[in-house]
Amino acid sequence: MAERRRDRGRGDAARAVAAGAGEVHVHPKDAAGRDSLDAEDVARWVRAVRAATPGVPVGVTTGAWAEPDVGRRLASIEAWTELPDHASVNWHEAGAEEVAALLVGRGVAVEAGLWDAAGLEVWKRSPLRSGCLRVLIELPDEPAEVVRDHAEAMIAHVALEEPDLPILLHGEEGSAWPAFDLAVELGRDSRIGLEDTLLLPDGSTAPGNAALVRAAVGRMRALWPRLHPAGSGENPGALRSPR
């Protein structure tokens, strides 16, 4: 069962990259299908995705839901044998600073996940903040009409502290597509995948990550020329697919 699930993930990642994703974000699973930080699970999934998407950066989660105990979470990461290119660290979670420091020490780039004002405040005080690969501004499931104000406020706070640090903006469920469109408008990186939403922009159910990526690429190609006329000097952001 674990092998079949991993093989499906590998194929899904390859299809997402073929559809236009520039990176893959993966949640390694254990034999029961739960998110896992165990060294064997991480190695198995990272190797599988890399084999399916050669040359494409692969990132993983370090979310506390996979291992709530900080000590065990750190021990799991310390035991990793197949290191991902980067890992996301949610700065509102207990142990975020220790997890980030361990990753940096092991040569794994850190994405700073900022979900709310509390996480932002902790990250602002972190001596590691300037060394992050980028900041992930992760909007909750919220009405489309509040996405712009929420996102722009978070972006302004991050830019005030670290003006040169790249920002990836994405949403969840109801905010997923509004956040994606806003990221295109602002020239920010974004991501889309089944972790973020199960729905295509027209409200129909997405059959997989690749369908979401294709829809995102289509929206980016349609929106960008209208928002940024030729010669404006602006560049569209990159697209990442979570798996």
Side-chain angles (χ1 to χ4, degrees):
M1 179 60 115
E3 288 74 15
R4 288 199 297 273
R5 188 176 290 112
R6 180 200 60 206
D7 289 345
R8 286 197 301 271
R10 177 169 54 195
D12 204 22
R15 288 187 290 273
V17 169
E23 297 186 27
V24 177
H25 172 70
V26 63
H27 287 208
K29 311 292 185 186
D30 63 15
R34 297 180 296 252
D35 283 1
S36 173
L37 302 182
D38 177 78
E40 290 186 7
D41 295 327
V42 171
R44 185 169 59 251
W45 279 77
V46 170
R47 286 193 199 110
V49 173
R50 280 186 171 145
T53 59
V56 175
V58 177
V60 302
T61 184
T62 63
W65 61 84
E67 177 47 77
D69 183 87
V70 174
R72 288 197 293 268
R73 201 182 324 150
L74 292 168
S76 293
I77 296 169
E78 182 65 49
W80 287 356
T81 56
E82 185 77 21
L83 297 178
D85 296 287
H86 49 76
S88 57
V89 178
N90 300 318
W91 238 268
H92 65 281
E93 294 177 346
E97 194 77 19
E98 294 91 335
V99 168
L102 175 56
L103 289 166
V104 170
R106 300 210 63 200
V108 179
V110 170
E111 300 178 299
L114 303 183
W115 292 25
D116 53 28
L120 175 65
E121 288 304 313
V122 177
W123 174 79
K124 284 165 60 176
R125 296 193 298 269
S126 173
L128 301 173
R129 73 180 194 203
S130 62
C132 290
L133 173 67
R134 60 185 159 224
V135 168
L136 308 182
I137 293 181
E138 309 189 70
L139 302 184
D141 180 14
E142 60 188 11
E145 56 267 23
V146 305
V147 164
R148 178 180 293 275
D149 287 348
H150 188 178
E152 290 185 340
M154 291 284 285
I155 290 170
H157 282 294
V158 171
L160 186 63
E161 303 296 332
E162 295 292 343
D164 297 324
L165 202 59
I167 294 173
L168 185 153
L169 172 64
H170 75 96
E172 177 180 304
E173 299 184 22
S175 69
W177 288 110
F180 180 84
D181 290 348
L182 181 59
V184 174
E185 176 185 336
L186 299 177
R188 299 290 182 180
D189 294 347
S190 192
R191 79 176 204 190
I192 200 72
L194 295 174
E195 180 186 342
D196 305 316
T197 180
L198 301 178
L199 302 179
L200 292 166
D202 64 4
S204 62
T205 300
N209 282 305
L212 289 167
V213 172
R214 280 193 295 272
V217 170
R219 289 176 80 79
M220 187 162 55
R221 288 174 176 166
L223 287 169
W224 186 258
R226 297 205 309 266
L227 296 168
H228 304 277
S232 66
E234 298 286 347
N235 294 303
L239 179 61
R240 188 173 67 148
S241 174
R243 171 71 195 103

